[in-house]
């Protein structure tokens, strides 16, 4: 599945947009969160062949797109993710970034809850993902390795 996401332009763009929206949720692009975003996107097959500097330039471009997004852009990206089996991975990456700087700001929690709704993920499952940040199950969701088993573990299915 990691190979597939790298070849799907709209899905790749939607995932990068969602990840950067989380980085910017508290109003600033924290360097630790940006590095976390880069690493998470690389783990799920995005930016995998790039250098760290190339990744940072791409993320800067996505940051500008998020900050200057026209009305409806976030919704369009959310629809792409909602229709994808990668919606859980997207939410797991967002939760991972939310915890990267050691704090969970109210804006970040609100964004992840809203993303869950937009990605058609029940709020109980959203909170289960947030609760399991930093575990192997979340890493499996992010990388797409054994996605069903990871979801079952995280979501107690």
């Amino acid at each position: 599945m990691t190979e597939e996401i790298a070849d799907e332009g709209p899905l790749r763009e939607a995932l990068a947009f969602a990840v950067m929206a989380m980085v910017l949720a508290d109003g600033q692009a924290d360097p630790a969160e940006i590095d976390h975003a880069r690493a998470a996107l690389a783990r799920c097959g995005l930016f995998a062949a790039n250098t760290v500097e190339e990744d940072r330039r791409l993320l800067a471009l996505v940051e500008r797109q998020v900050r200057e997004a026209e009305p409806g852009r976030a919704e369009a990206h959310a629809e792409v993710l909602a229709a994808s089996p990668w919606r859980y991975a997207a939410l797991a990456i967002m939760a991972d970034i939310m915890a990267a700087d050691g704090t969970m700001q109210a804006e970040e929690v609100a964004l992840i809850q809203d993303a869950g709704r937009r990605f058609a993920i029940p709020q109980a499952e959203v909170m289960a993902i947030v609760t399991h940040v930093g575990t192997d199950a979340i890493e499996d969701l992010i990388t797409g390795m054994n996605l069903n088993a990871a979801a079952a573990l995280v979501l107690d299915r």
Side-chain angles (χ1 to χ4, degrees), residues 12 24 29 51 75 83 89 104-105 134 138 144 150:
R12 179 177 46 233
L24 298 172
T51 66
E75 291 81 6
M104 285 193 237
Q105 304 294 328
I138 293 298

Side-chain angles (χ1 to χ4, degrees), residues 36-60:
H36 224 69
R38 185 198 66 76
L41 290 171
R43 285 194 310 271
C44 68
L46 298 174
F47 304 160
N50 295 347
T51 66
V52 171
E53 191 55 41
E54 289 170 329
D55 290 349
R56 288 190 178 133
R57 279 197 301 273
L58 285 170
L59 286 172

